[in-house]
Amino acid sequence: MALKDILSYHTRQAIKFDLLRLKARLKNRANNITSPYTKLHLGCGKRKIKNWLNVDVVNSDYDIDLAIGKLPWKENTFDTVVSQHVIEHLHLEHELIPLIQELARILKPGAEIWLSTPDMEKVCKAYETDKANGLIKDRQSRFPHFSMRGIPDQHFINILFQQGGQHKNLLDFELLPWLLESNGFADVKRVSEADLLRRFPELPERKDDFQSVYVKAICK
């Protein structure tokens, strides 16, 4: 009997990702290590940046499970960290808060952290405004083949909140400052992707401001 006849699609996907997380944990178990670069790109996916340490669960410069609660680098290693549309994949209390605390430890005092995530406020307002039609058009402007396949537009709200079980939470510009200021960061400001690209023009453009909240903060 095939595995697909026993387990649901989402269960199979969850198992696959958990196995990748386990592989990353077993592959890189060192602690207190140094980095060849001072800029950290968390959750890089295929968007690897030259002269940055590109980190993800697989196929990165240093594969790591960001949900593990511990980062392997020495204190005061990095002067910059950028992470776009990654933190929503982590459980707020058990995974994301420990990660932010670890980032404060491995960043130098005065270092910059730039984060983006789907904006809970924008998503909720989009439902009230046009049942998410604007969000769908924004998605299609970046991914022309995206389709709701006949499902009513408001289901796109579910897609953003859940993403097939991958998303654990959405945040807004109240949750993000609380998260950062409670765990080693200060001077949290709302910014845009354009601000990020002006600061680091080597980053690939995502064009996702319409649905995202971008913030910048400073490590204490």
Side-chain angles (χ1 to χ4, degrees), residues 158-170:
N158 291 325
I159 293 174
L160 281 178
F161 268 96
Q162 300 172 1
Q163 192 167 303
Q166 297 178 30
H167 286 177
K168 300 299 187 293
N169 50 250
L170 296 190

Side-chain angles (χ1 to χ4, degrees), residues 35-41 51-53 76-81 106-108 111:
S35 167
Y37 304 107
T38 61
K39 293 182 174 63
L40 179 61
H41 187 203
N51 296 324
W52 289 61
L53 185 65
N76 305 328
T77 294
F78 300 98
D79 55 34
T80 304
V81 60
I106 66 172
L107 287 171
K108 302 171 185 176

Side-chain angles (χ1 to χ4, degrees), residues 39 44 64 68 76 103 125 138 148 154 156 169 185:
K39 293 182 174 63
C44 62
I64 188 171
I68 197 171
N76 305 328
L103 289 174
K125 285 183 176 179
D138 171 68
M148 292 298 294
Q154 55 262 47
F156 191 71
N169 50 250
F185 292 89

